[in-house]
Amino acid sequence: MLNVHELKAQDLQRLSPSALAEVATTMLEHIAQQSKLITSQAQAIKFRDVKLERITFELARLKSWRFAAKTERMNAEQRQLFEETLVADQASLEAQLEALQGQTGTPGESAGKAPARQPKRQALPEHLRRVDHHHEPENTTCDCGQPMVRIGEDVSEKLDIVPAEFFVHRHVRGKWACKGCQTLVQEPAEPHIIDKGMPAEGLIAHTLVSRFVDHIPYYRQEQINARSGIHTPRSTLAAWSGQGGAGLIPLYDAHRRFVLGANVLHVDETPVNMLDPGAGKTKRAYIWAYARSGFDVLPGVVYDFCVGRGAKYPVAFLQDWSGTLVCDGYAAYDTVFKLEQRIEAGCLAHARRKFDELIKDNQSPVATQAVQRMAKLYGIEREARDLSVEQRLDMRQARAKPLWEEMHAWLQLERQRVPDGSATAKAIDYSLNRWSALMANLVDGDVPIDNNHIENLMRPWAMGRKAWLFAGSELAGQRAAIVMTLVQSAKMHGHDPWAYLKDVLTRLPSHLNSRIDELLPHRWQPKA
């Protein structure tokens, strides 16, 4: 057969008619194949361009949503879940986009365009165990025959993980006997939170942290442990938590005394569902939270599980306490302030929310100006955050006090202009009725401008509420309050919750009660 690709023009003149027909047929087939290939490539390029355009559009929309999510349209939990999903979606789209752009092989798309600035990745912590993998060429002799010399190396690091490993402590206590006097000597067994039980303190701490920090219900912990071949029924896990929580009660009581030793406290409450076996359904209970001032150098929070929301609960908890209490406008707190030597401090964030709701509903031009005035006060607070108590109070007196006075006069004037019963009137009335409490921060530099500090400390309960669904009993709610008090306070001091709980659960059975304060989160030091 003729090779048409090797034929030249002069060769065609010497071909017979039949050979020329063969050449023509072959050329036509080749042209048809090339045309089909070009058409296929054109379709592939068109498809890729359409996909590039779609992914680029989706990526731009995700970024715009990410900035929009910073508004107050979402609560903290919704925003956190939304942002986590956005990060995952954005990473996926960027990976797809990078892969598609690599396939195009056309440098013209990026020519003249500065590369996107990538965020600087933090170095991996030095305390992590390193596993070295050495990669050297098999042959270090050059083609010229000379041996090569090692002149350096490149090191890259990748983060990896080994899933949780169960292991067993074997305590071997030797028995020593004297044949002469029939005496037996043996080291006594160390006391444990759960004596004669299977779990060591590290496993009890892991169960508590999984439940109350990571918000993993017992039935899911049972499934996770089963993947490692360990059978831990949810009833067993619950029993371990119950015994561990009981062992922490003396530490909780000491921490409560520490928190109530502060002159400035935050207070707030949030509902949780509690199982009511007699009625066959759940009923509403409440977690009350009390925290030292957000400016306190020794922070701490204590939670109190109560079956109701009445005034008797904070009154009982604070019966021996005096000082300044930062709270919202809930009427139950009025009873707390009937006792002497207690000062009420209001929350500007609550007052601001009343106006912010009006802005979203476009119901009042007054609301926009009110929020703008409050923003100036928050700006001063940001500047004063890291100052000393005296310096912070001086800055408030010099710069914030005139703004408070101007806003008070302006609110009184605007109140006369709006009809009674309107949404704007209610928002203004909330601020005016609590004006003396809102200005308490102008008297004491330790008093914050709002109650956001305690609201942030309530978020773990909101997250746990969705995971647990309800507390099994009043005792279970109290146990949750004990554990949450200690682990959240430990986190406030930068401690790892598991390391803290494991250590204190190990020490508590033999620790002197007179030295219990050594194990409090703000004083705890891990054993060397």
Side-chain angles (χ1 to χ4, degrees):
M1 181 180 289
L2 292 172
N3 188 345
V4 295
H5 298 288
E6 296 180 356
L7 288 175
K8 300 180 181 179
Q10 56 268 29
D11 295 332
L12 295 175
Q13 297 175 358
R14 295 193 293 268
L15 294 176
S16 64
S18 61
L20 284 172
E22 182 183 348
V23 170
T25 302
T26 304
M27 292 297 292
L28 288 173
E29 292 176 353
H30 178 70
I31 292 171
Q33 291 175 355
Q34 291 296 316
S35 177
K36 186 182 295 184
L37 180 61
I38 291 172
T39 302
S40 175
Q41 289 177 341
Q43 290 177 345
I45 292 173
K46 183 178 180 181
F47 175 77
R48 186 169 55 233
D49 289 343
V50 170
K51 197 171 182 180
L52 272 170
E53 182 180 359
R54 179 181 62 81
I55 292 177
T56 303
F57 171 75
E58 290 290 341
L59 192 57
R61 185 166 64 167
L62 278 178
K63 290 180 179 179
S64 67
W65 282 349
R66 189 172 189 175
F67 288 113
K70 295 179 180 179
T71 67
E72 292 190 0
R73 296 179 181 179
M74 296 184 181
N75 60 36
E77 291 74 32
Q78 290 172 328
R79 188 181 301 115
Q80 182 178 10
L81 178 60
F82 180 77
E83 290 182 349
E84 288 173 354
T85 306
L86 267 180
V87 169
D89 290 348
Q90 182 175 336
S92 174
L93 289 172
E94 286 177 344
Q96 295 178 52
L97 190 61
E98 183 178 353
L100 284 170
Q101 289 174 339
Q103 292 174 11
T104 60
T106 54
E109 292 183 8
S110 58
K113 184 177 179 181
R117 185 178 180 183
Q118 296 296 326
K120 186 177 181 181
R121 186 173 63 185
Q122 291 185 350
L124 296 176
E126 291 295 330
H127 70 272
L128 295 180
R129 176 172 61 94
R130 257 69 175 176
V131 179
D132 290 340
H133 304 272
H134 293 276
H135 309 275
E136 304 290 350
E138 292 183 3
N139 184 8
T140 57
T141 301
C142 184
D143 293 339
C144 70
Q146 294 291 326
M148 294 181 176
V149 178
R150 198 173 192 273
I151 60 172
E153 62 186 16
D154 290 327
V155 178
S156 62
E157 294 189 331
K158 285 186 173 293
L159 186 63
D160 205 348
I161 184 174
V162 176
E165 176 192 7
F166 287 91
F167 66 97
V168 178
H169 291 284
R170 295 182 70 240
H171 297 276
V172 181
R173 296 183 296 119
K175 295 181 178 180
W176 295 80
C178 175
K179 295 182 178 180
C181 59
Q182 302 297 313
T183 301
L184 177 68
V185 177
Q186 185 181 34
E187 279 294 299
E190 294 181 355
H192 294 274
I193 285 291
I194 302 180
D195 273 324
K196 300 180 181 179
M198 179 174 66
E201 283 69 24
L203 181 53
I204 300 171
H206 175 74
T207 303
L208 291 172
V209 168
S210 297
R211 169 78 170 179
F212 298 111
V213 178
D214 300 327
H215 313 296
I216 302 176
Y218 293 131
Y219 79 90
R220 286 179 55 202
Q221 291 189 49
E222 177 184 352
Q223 295 169 353
I224 293 170
N225 294 347
R227 292 202 295 266
S228 297
I230 304 299
H231 179 57
T232 53
R234 66 193 70 178
S235 58
T236 300
L237 294 170
W240 292 351
S241 291
Q243 291 172 279
L248 293 170
I249 290 176
L251 193 57
Y252 171 84
D253 291 338
H255 184 71
R256 171 178 171 169
R257 292 192 295 270
F258 161 70
V259 171
L260 294 182
N263 186 55
V264 177
L265 287 182
H266 295 260
V267 62
D268 199 11
E269 79 288 336
T270 190
V272 291
N273 287 330
M274 182 181 71
L275 186 63
D276 185 3
K281 57 183 181 180
T282 60
K283 62 181 180 181
R284 177 163 289 191
Y286 286 86
I287 285 292
W288 293 77
Y290 306 84
R292 294 168 72 99
S293 170
F295 295 118
D296 204 310
V297 295
L298 293 176
V301 62
V302 60
Y303 301 108
D304 187 29
F305 183 88
C306 302
V307 295
R309 197 191 180 200
K312 64 180 181 179
Y313 299 107
V315 168
F317 196 90
L318 299 171
Q319 59 181 347
D320 297 323
W321 176 83
S322 61
T324 301
L325 189 66
V326 187
C327 58
D328 56 28
Y330 178 41
Y333 298 123
D334 293 342
T335 307
V336 176
F337 295 111
K338 288 182 179 179
L339 299 179
E340 296 182 358
Q341 297 182 333
R342 291 182 180 175
I343 302 171
E344 180 182 9
C347 175
L348 186 61
H350 275 79
R352 183 187 179 281
R353 286 171 198 160
K354 307 290 183 184
F355 293 106
D356 187 68
E357 291 170 358
L358 296 177
I359 294 175
K360 293 174 182 176
D361 295 335
N362 297 317
Q363 292 189 15
S364 172
V366 175
T368 301
Q369 189 172 350
V371 170
Q372 291 173 346
R373 290 176 178 270
M374 294 176 183
K376 294 179 181 179
L377 294 171
Y378 273 107
I380 295 172
E381 284 300 304
R382 282 192 294 271
E383 293 182 43
R385 173 72 197 179
D386 297 325
L387 300 179
S388 67
V389 177
E390 295 76 14
Q391 292 172 329
R392 188 183 305 118
L393 184 59
D394 290 342
M395 179 180 285
R396 288 172 175 173
Q397 286 287 331
R399 296 174 54 187
K401 186 176 181 180
L403 297 179
W404 280 102
E405 293 173 345
E406 289 176 13
M407 185 165 62
H408 188 221
W410 173 77
L411 285 173
Q412 289 177 319
L413 179 62
E414 292 297 331
R415 180 62 182 87
Q416 298 174 11
R417 297 175 177 175
V418 298
D420 294 340
S422 65
T424 303
K426 292 180 181 179
I428 295 176
D429 286 342
Y430 180 88
S431 295
L432 292 179
N433 292 339
R434 295 186 51 75
W435 197 255
S436 59
L438 289 173
M439 294 184 66
N441 65 95
L442 297 178
V443 180
D444 186 345
D446 266 336
V447 176
I449 197 173
D450 57 33
N451 209 21
N452 286 349
H453 177 59
I454 194 72
E455 291 188 5
N456 291 334
L457 293 171
M458 279 298 199
R459 289 180 182 177
W461 287 98
M463 296 175 66
R465 187 167 52 211
K466 296 176 182 178
W468 311 332
L469 301 181
F470 50 81
S473 64
E474 183 177 353
L475 185 60
Q478 293 169 353
R479 181 168 59 253
I482 290 171
V483 178
M484 291 280 276
T485 291
L486 296 173
V487 296
Q488 291 303 321
S489 295
K491 288 171 65 176
M492 293 170 76
H493 288 275
H495 303 317
D496 171 59
W498 177 83
Y500 173 73
L501 278 185
K502 176 182 181 296
D503 187 66
V504 298
L505 286 171
T506 302
R507 295 196 208 179
L508 276 171
S510 58
H511 198 82
L512 294 176
N513 198 47
S514 59
R515 297 172 54 190
I516 193 73
D517 288 359
E518 295 175 359
L519 303 182
L520 293 178
H522 67 284
R523 295 187 60 185
W524 175 74
Q525 293 292 333
K527 286 186 177 180

